[in-house]
């Protein structure tokens, strides 16, 4: 357990306390982040933002732009892509150096369990789309922007399900 370090007086007025649930998730994930991010030191204070440009793509928290907040991401450094929705985008600044780390706080979508509906998608694995619940899990993943993050497309399937597909699997084709 590493205690949070609190800046004595934030030099930047945009540095504010993190939401309690996000701060708890950040504390829970700190041991993994320490191994993944050189010099990582956790904090309850961060600069939040509604949007982030990453790899020439704009990502947004869901309260700012729903379309840009539906993503596929790596929940851990070597993990498979998982769909989710961005709750918050925030940057933590090091007290001792100019280093900063930017994160996405993401609620994952729960895979749909209806076997009949899932059979339509398991027969065509190369299609890359799957069924998920329309309601995200309340669990929060803290995702450094150094991990893979891609936009996703979604379509409603029924009242409780949606089809999600990562745009990382879409290739560009040009017809001559």
């Amino acid at each position: 357990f590493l205690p949070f370090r609190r800046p004595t007086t934030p030099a930047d007025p945009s540095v504010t306390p993190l939401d309690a649930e996000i701060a708890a998730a950040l504390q829970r994930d700190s041991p993994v982040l320490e191994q993944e991010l050189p010099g990582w030191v956790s904090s309850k204070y961060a600069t939040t933002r509604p949007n982030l440009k990453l790899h020439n793509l704009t990502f947004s928290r869901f309260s700012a732009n729903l379309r840009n907040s539906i993503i596929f991401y790596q929940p851990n450094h070597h993990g498979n892509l998982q769909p989710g929705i961005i709750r918050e985008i925030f940057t933590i600044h090091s007290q001792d150096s100019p280093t900063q780390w930017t994160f996405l706080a993401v609620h994952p979508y729960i895979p749909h369990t209806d076997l009949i509906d899932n059979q339509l998608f398991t027969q065509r694995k190369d299609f890359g789309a799957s069924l998920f619940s329309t309601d995200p899990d309340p669990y929060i993943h803290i995702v450094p922007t150094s991990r893979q993050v891609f936009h996703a497309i979604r379509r409603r399937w029924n009242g409780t399900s949606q089809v999600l597909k990562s745009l990382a699997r879409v290739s560009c084709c040009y017809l001559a």
Side-chain angles (χ1 to χ4, degrees):
F1 168 74
L2 288 172
F4 286 123
R5 288 175 38 182
R6 178 181 177 183
T8 51
T9 55
D12 184 352
S14 67
V15 176
T16 59
L18 284 169
D19 171 274
E21 291 176 340
I22 294 172
L26 188 63
Q27 182 178 15
R28 179 199 66 223
D29 293 349
S30 277
V32 173
L33 295 172
E34 286 174 14
Q35 294 177 351
E36 190 176 335
L37 304 171
W40 164 250
V41 177
S42 188
S43 175
K44 287 185 179 179
Y45 295 85
T47 304
T48 59
R49 58 179 71 184
N51 303 301
L52 172 70
K53 195 149 191 121
L54 184 63
H55 310 296
N56 290 325
L57 298 171
T58 300
F59 295 90
S60 304
R61 61 182 179 217
F62 69 81
S63 62
N65 183 321
L66 185 60
R67 185 181 64 188
N68 287 337
S69 67
I70 309 292
I71 62 170
F72 272 76
Y73 66 99
Q74 283 181 298
N76 55 53
H77 186 60
H78 299 291
N80 294 326
L81 294 177
Q82 177 175 347
I85 186 165
I86 301 171
R87 174 174 172 170
E88 189 63 81
I89 301 170
F90 61 97
T91 301
I92 293 180
H93 307 271
S94 171
Q95 291 183 40
D96 306 327
S97 71
T99 306
Q100 62 183 23
W101 302 275
T102 301
F103 300 94
L104 307 174
V106 179
H107 289 283
Y109 281 112
I110 303 165
H112 197 281
T113 57
D114 186 341
L115 294 176
I116 295 171
D117 284 344
N118 272 335
Q119 284 179 346
L120 297 171
F121 295 97
T122 56
Q123 293 171 358
R124 297 286 307 182
K125 290 184 183 202
D126 58 330
F127 181 56
S130 297
L131 280 174
F132 293 89
S133 171
T134 53
D135 296 324
D137 193 330
Y139 185 87
I140 299 172
H141 283 144
I142 301 298
V143 182
T145 56
S146 57
R147 294 185 191 160
Q148 292 184 11
V149 179
F150 302 99
H151 281 163
I153 54 173
R154 72 177 181 161
R155 295 292 181 261
R156 292 260 180 200
W157 185 256
N158 61 31
T160 61
S161 303
Q162 61 186 342
V163 178
L164 292 167
K165 179 179 173 70
S166 169
L167 293 181
R169 298 195 58 178
V170 175
S171 60
C172 295
C173 298
Y174 297 98
L175 301 175

